Amino acid sequence: MKIDFAISHEVMLVWIAAAITMVIMIAAARVISSSLVSTGKFGNLMESMVDFVRSNIVDEFLGHHGKAWFGFFAALFFFLLFSNLMGKIPGPVYHGAEEPHFWLESPTGNINVTAGMAIFVFLVAQAVGVIKLGPLGYFKKKFLLPGAPWWVQFLAVLIMPIVLLAEPFSLAVRLFANMTAGHKVLVTFAVAELVGGVWLWNAGTWQKAVAALPFALSVVLLAFELFVAFIQAFIFTLLSALYLSESLEEHH
């Protein structure tokens, strides 16, 4: 069996998203830290988004544990946000293997990327639970129901692993499905027959007028997709914080 370690297009997209996240966040940190009063539009925007993550995700679900985990969830949120937005940047269209070149799209539109991130978050949450509660305490918390009869406990041990594994599955599929569906809808309207370049030269006046409708709708959908990119990054990060908070709790 031959294993291919070549750097794929998807890997490059993840690296680009990570690089964008690092550059923007380092620049924002320098702007904010160097300004005593006004940080400008860029600094104000980034500062408000960081405060949004802190107040609505970290402090809300992790409480006094939030300070220790703020960096982790801030990095997760902004990486997801910039990954989602990458697919909304206009760029060249890929025409197939006969004409290969690099093109931008959302890394989170690939199930392997979202699954990898979901599994990573899941493993972190479970490792924290084992370290905080100990192996026996972790088992009791995750797989047993306090006060239930023995036969219910037996059923719980069989069912709870499925419930537990549903967490990373739902994280991965939700993000992947939303990014993929939005991209497909945008492409459908953007390259529809009436919107394509052919009608500009061969169509009649009424056909050109009709073609403006799906084009205008594609612009509206693009604006909506920018909102979806933010919401999906928020939901993924919020649920990750929720799963971690469950591991940090000592009791049900």
Side-chain angles (χ1 to χ4, degrees):
M1 179 179 178
K2 183 180 179 181
I3 301 177
D4 186 7
F5 289 100
I7 298 175
S8 65
H9 175 254
E10 288 73 19
V11 173
M12 286 295 298
L13 290 172
V14 172
W15 288 357
I16 292 174
I20 292 174
T21 304
M22 291 179 62
V23 170
I24 292 180
M25 297 312 298
I26 290 174
R30 290 182 176 178
V31 169
I32 295 172
S33 62
S34 62
S35 302
L36 298 177
V37 181
S38 176
T39 58
K41 294 181 180 180
F42 172 72
N44 288 334
L45 174 63
M46 298 307 299
E47 188 173 11
S48 63
M49 293 183 68
V50 169
D51 288 337
F52 174 84
V53 174
R54 179 186 290 109
S55 59
N56 292 279
I57 298 178
V58 178
D59 292 344
E60 181 73 19
F61 291 96
L62 298 178
H64 65 280
H65 297 289
K67 185 176 181 180
W69 288 95
F70 171 72
F72 175 82
F73 287 105
L76 178 62
F77 171 79
F78 284 105
F79 173 75
L80 287 171
L81 177 61
F82 296 136
S83 295
N84 294 345
L85 291 175
M86 278 177 57
K88 311 302 181 286
I89 300 174
V93 179
Y94 180 66
H95 297 290
E98 70 281 359
E99 192 178 338
H101 59 270
F102 186 83
W103 74 104
L104 284 178
E105 59 182 338
S106 298
T108 45
N110 186 311
I111 187 62
N112 296 306
V113 175
T114 59
M117 296 187 65
I119 292 172
F120 174 72
V121 170
F122 174 78
L123 293 177
V124 169
Q126 307 319 307
V128 168
V130 173
I131 294 173
K132 183 174 180 60
L133 303 174
L136 183 59
Y138 171 84
F139 178 80
K140 291 180 178 180
K141 177 179 175 61
K142 294 292 185 179
F143 299 99
L144 299 180
L145 301 175
W150 68 268
W151 60 272
V152 175
Q153 302 286 16
F154 176 77
L155 292 176
V157 171
L158 298 178
I159 296 174
M160 292 308 293
I162 301 175
V163 176
L164 197 62
L165 292 176
E167 295 178 0
F169 179 80
S170 64
L171 280 178
V173 173
R174 180 186 295 105
L175 181 57
F176 161 73
N178 278 278
M179 290 299 100
T180 302
H183 177 74
K184 297 300 183 184
V185 171
L186 285 176
V187 170
T188 299
F189 281 94
V191 301
E193 184 176 352
L194 287 175
V195 183
V198 176
W199 67 267
L200 288 172
W201 310 108
N202 300 327
T205 303
W206 71 270
Q207 290 173 311
K208 293 181 180 181
V210 172
L213 296 177
F215 177 78
L217 183 57
S218 67
V219 175
V220 175
L221 289 173
L222 178 58
F224 178 73
E225 279 301 303
L226 297 178
F227 175 73
V228 170
F230 176 85
I231 288 298
Q232 290 305 314
F234 171 70
I235 292 176
F236 191 103
T237 310
L238 182 148
L239 291 177
S240 299
L242 175 62
Y243 297 149
L244 180 64
S245 67
E246 293 175 350
S247 295
L248 290 171
E249 293 176 359
E250 296 185 0
H251 304 286
H252 286 281

